[in-house]
Amino acid sequence: MLHHLSLGVRDLHAAGRFYDAVLAALGYRRVFEDDTAIGYGLVDDEDVLCLKLRDDATAPGPGFHLAFAAQSPAQVDAFHAAAMATGGRDNGPAGLRPDYGDTYYASFVVDPDGHRIEAVTRQAAP
């Protein structure tokens, strides 16, 4: 359904450092960058997520969050650890979320600009 998503950020360097770490934990990488944007994905010049430098950027309010697919609980754990090490705030540590299903394993964090993000897998936890 979605081709890509862009997030406005106030500090492209700090946001890039954060997303380099958390998305690497999920197997993604920078696929392009210039002075005002950084794109992430799997294939050069084909971003799925784009960070856009905006002086007046603000995160969407309550009710919005972005969930990234993880391939395993270990990736969810790595995502959370990377977020905590690069300026993210904990919004729900990695673990099973039985309210969402028996195998719903997720971590919730808030990025340096206030965007609420999640890594999730439905692969059973070890």
Side-chain angles (χ1 to χ4, degrees), residues 79-92:
F79 169 91
H80 188 268
M84 296 301 92
T86 56
R89 289 180 298 150
D90 180 42
N91 202 25

Side-chain angles (χ1 to χ4, degrees), residues 2-83:
L2 299 176
H3 183 271
H4 71 275
L5 179 71
S6 296
L7 298 177
V9 299
R10 292 177 302 275
D11 182 336
L12 189 60
H13 176 72
R17 190 171 76 88
F18 176 85
Y19 280 94
D20 285 351
V22 299
L23 293 179
L26 302 177
Y28 294 98
R29 63 181 177 82
R30 284 188 191 200
V31 295
F32 86 85
E33 63 184 297
D34 62 28
D35 292 341
T36 63
I38 300 171
Y40 293 91
L42 297 172
V43 178
D44 287 345
D45 296 321
E46 294 183 18
D47 62 305
V48 177
L49 175 70
C50 187
L51 306 177
K52 302 261 187 171
L53 180 61
R54 300 286 185 261
D55 291 338
D56 60 349
T58 58
F64 176 87
H65 83 276
L66 178 60
F68 295 101
Q71 299 302 309
S72 68
Q75 281 190 340
V76 173
D77 294 344
F79 169 91
H80 188 268

Side-chain angles (χ1 to χ4, degrees), residues 55-122:
D55 291 338
D56 60 349
T58 58
F64 176 87
H65 83 276
L66 178 60
F68 295 101
Q71 299 302 309
S72 68
Q75 281 190 340
V76 173
D77 294 344
F79 169 91
H80 188 268
M84 296 301 92
T86 56
R89 289 180 298 150
D90 180 42
N91 202 25
L96 285 170
R97 301 293 192 275
D99 288 350
Y100 302 140
D102 292 342
T103 59
Y104 196 102
Y105 191 91
S107 166
F108 300 87
V109 300
V110 180
D111 80 5
D113 283 281
H115 299 102
R116 291 172 178 90
I117 62 174
E118 169 187 3
V120 58
T121 185
R122 289 194 178 266

